[in-house]
Amino acid sequence: MSAAAAKGPASYFPSIEAKYGRPVSEWVELIRGSELSKHMELVKWLKDEHGLGHGHANALVAHARS
């Protein structure tokens, strides 16, 4: 898939996998397994506990909750 074809949160996926070394599916499992439920709580948790940038964390949470 070319970067031009990816839209919304999926456009971040290749760089998330390259930068953090985990497939998106693992991030989704972590998010869905968290006791947190609010979007911004999950974004903050990914940033604080896993070192993700805001855009990457936001994209993953949006995808996991869709």
Side-chain angles (χ1 to χ4, degrees), residues 1-7 10-11 13-14:
M1 168 168 49
S2 72
K7 303 247 188 254
S11 66
F13 294 172

Side-chain angles (χ1 to χ4, degrees), residues 1 13 15-16 18 20 23 27-28 31-32 34 36-38 40 42 45 47 52 58-59 61-63 65:
M1 168 168 49
F13 294 172
S15 61
I16 290 170
Y20 305 107
W27 290 112
V28 169
I31 292 164
R32 290 182 178 163
S34 170
L36 302 172
S37 61
K38 293 183 180 175
M40 289 310 294
L42 288 159
W45 172 69
K47 290 167 62 176
L52 273 72
N58 193 54
V61 172
H63 176 67
R65 298 183 75 207

